[in-house]
Amino acid sequence: MSRFPDNEIISLVGKAPRFDLAESVGPSLRLAELIDMAFGNDADFSLDYATAVGNPELRQHIASENGVDADDVVVTVGGMHALFLIAFTLCQAGDEAVVVEPVFPLARNALTAVGAVTRALPLSFDTGYRIELDALRKLLSPKTKLVSLASPQNPSGVAIPAQTLREIVALLAEHAPDARLLIDETYREAAYGEDRAAPSAACLGAEVISVSSLSKCHGAAGLRIGWAITRDKALRKALVTAKFSTVISCSPVDEALALAVFRQRERIIGERRTLLAQNLQFVEQWAQRHRGYVDWVRPDAGALCCMRLKPAVFDAAAVERFYAALAKYSTRVAPGAWFGDDPQVFRLGFGLPTLTALAIGLECVSVALTEAVRPARAAAS
């Protein structure tokens, strides 16, 4: 019946445990922070249809932050809507699309739902989730219509270097001339402290599509505002038509509130970068103290990272005991299986809680680690 496969990641939008270290977002904005700036004294806000392409002032803000023109931007109902519209527009049944694995499952689901044949480019914890160009080259063919990547990646937070992206563009031109390169840049601006955010991939050429949203870096997932950026006029027109044919337009209320977010962008993103840097340092210290139990890959940006239960310490039974212990302490991390990763890997989200809550949540993880391996150590003794 279902064209979208089930995945337990849907639990992230259900009831959360007390310490939710599975989330990939930072603190959410409050409506009161935006309402006056969005509407002022004009409470008589007209609830008409918005435009199919999106509010022109909002598109200009997005364009300015990505080094493109406002006409290159299509506003969507969250980043996921943009991913679906791109898949629906570019891929016919039987066309090939390349996705990395592990991957945010909904990005792959959008492709399989439209009948595309997905070819997985495996990324390894042991190599720091870095893309190997030779492996990508072997997956490309004249049937390839889309190569879907994320930078920084979800679940690892590892970014793709600009030089690697340019080399991928060249690979597509040579081996898959009809393909587009999609870069999900949802976490691009979630840099740490004074670190500079990577430049947008939107300027790499007409064959490159950038997707992002207000959900992760800006703390406004509930607004459901995302966007696709393409410098290909024909593709942009097709995406606008696809958007109109599926949702007509975004909510004008959401677009007005999104404008208020952009007007406070420096404060909002600055506060979150400070929090991310502080929490990342705490996670790094925690991982160092627990290096007998876990390995980790330090992320380049974003509110998430990948950790791995040491295979020499955690067999399949110990992995199950680890998750059972976490549930007992009302704590959650995101299992690697959600993303197609190894069973010992889990995604740790460190952007949502305060430092105090993060410390308590990680202490629960610490206890779960020791409880999970205790039966094996008791038997050995």
Side-chain angles (χ1 to χ4, degrees):
M1 289 287 293
S2 176
R3 298 182 69 175
F4 296 102
D6 290 333
N7 189 300
E8 280 301 309
I9 198 169
I10 198 172
S11 64
L12 290 179
V13 292
K15 180 176 175 57
R18 183 181 180 192
F19 301 108
D20 195 356
L21 304 183
E23 264 297 356
S24 58
V25 298
S28 296
L29 293 172
R30 307 292 296 181
L31 182 60
E33 295 181 63
L34 304 177
I35 197 76
D36 288 341
M37 185 170 289
F39 307 119
N41 295 320
D42 187 11
D44 189 20
F45 185 81
S46 179
L47 295 178
D48 299 324
Y49 284 115
T51 63
V53 67
N55 179 287
E57 186 180 352
L58 177 58
R59 288 189 290 115
Q60 184 58 63
H61 276 287
I62 295 167
S64 297
E65 298 303 329
N66 287 272
V68 297
D69 296 329
D71 285 345
D72 299 327
V73 179
V74 179
V75 181
T76 57
V77 185
M80 192 58 234
H81 185 217
L83 293 177
F84 178 79
L85 291 181
I86 292 164
F88 186 83
T89 300
L90 293 179
C91 296
Q92 303 293 323
D95 286 339
E96 293 183 359
V98 177
V99 294
V100 300
E101 194 169 85
V103 63
F104 177 57
L106 277 63
R108 179 177 51 211
N109 292 354
L111 293 163
T112 57
V114 300
V117 178
T118 57
R119 306 192 70 187
L121 174 64
L123 305 182
S124 168
F125 185 98
D126 289 322
T127 58
Y129 296 107
R130 301 296 176 184
I131 289 177
E132 296 182 5
L133 293 176
D134 286 343
L136 174 59
R137 182 185 295 110
K138 294 174 182 177
L139 296 176
L140 299 176
S141 78
K143 294 179 66 175
T144 307
K145 293 299 186 287
L146 191 66
V147 174
S148 179
L149 308 175
S151 183
Q153 298 159 357
N154 182 0
S156 70
V158 172
I160 305 171
Q163 179 58 32
T164 300
L165 289 175
R166 287 190 288 268
E167 291 172 345
I168 292 173
V169 170
L171 278 180
L172 266 60
E174 181 179 358
H175 299 283
D178 294 332
R180 307 298 179 95
L181 176 61
L182 167 62
I183 308 294
D184 185 339
E185 301 190 290
T186 298
Y187 296 99
R188 180 179 66 84
E189 293 191 272
Y192 304 132
E194 298 301 319
D195 291 356
R196 292 175 62 87
S200 174
C203 299
L204 289 177
E207 64 275 26
V208 178
I209 311 164
S210 169
V211 168
S212 191
S213 75
L214 293 182
S215 297
K216 308 298 185 180
C217 301
H218 303 77
L223 290 186
R224 308 313 305 137
I225 291 291
W227 53 87
I229 300 175
T230 174
R231 306 181 88 175
D232 182 323
K233 292 182 179 179
L235 176 57
R236 174 184 174 274
K237 181 179 179 181
L239 292 176
V240 173
T241 301
K243 175 187 172 183
F244 177 74
S245 300
T246 52
V247 299
I248 299 180
S249 71
C250 295
S251 160
V253 177
D254 281 358
E255 290 190 338
L257 291 169
L259 271 171
V261 172
F262 272 100
R263 290 168 186 153
Q264 300 183 54
R265 176 184 176 280
E266 295 302 322
R267 175 187 68 81
I268 291 169
I269 289 185
E271 290 174 354
R272 277 154 180 75
R273 287 177 176 173
T274 299
L275 173 70
L276 288 176
Q278 168 188 268
N279 285 9
L280 176 63
Q281 182 180 31
F282 190 89
V283 168
E284 186 166 17
Q285 293 169 349
W286 181 90
Q288 178 66 16
R289 290 196 308 271
H290 294 78
R291 60 187 179 275
Y293 295 101
V294 299
D295 301 308
W296 83 309
V297 174
R298 193 183 195 278
D300 296 311
L304 69 178
C305 66
C306 279
M307 294 200 173
R308 182 174 64 184
L309 302 169
K310 283 183 174 291
V313 179
F314 290 84
D315 59 13
V319 171
E320 290 186 9
R321 291 195 296 269
F322 170 69
Y323 285 107
L326 284 179
K328 181 172 62 174
Y329 298 117
S330 192
T331 303
R332 175 170 63 183
V333 297
W338 288 1
F339 311 96
D341 211 336
D342 293 336
Q344 286 93 353
V345 175
F346 62 88
R347 187 184 74 182
L348 180 76
F350 55 85
L352 183 60
T354 63
L355 184 58
T356 299
L358 177 63
I360 299 172
L362 284 175
E363 181 59 27
C364 292
V365 178
S366 300
V367 175
L369 290 171
T370 58
E371 288 189 2
V373 301
R374 188 175 297 155
R377 289 185 174 175
S381 62

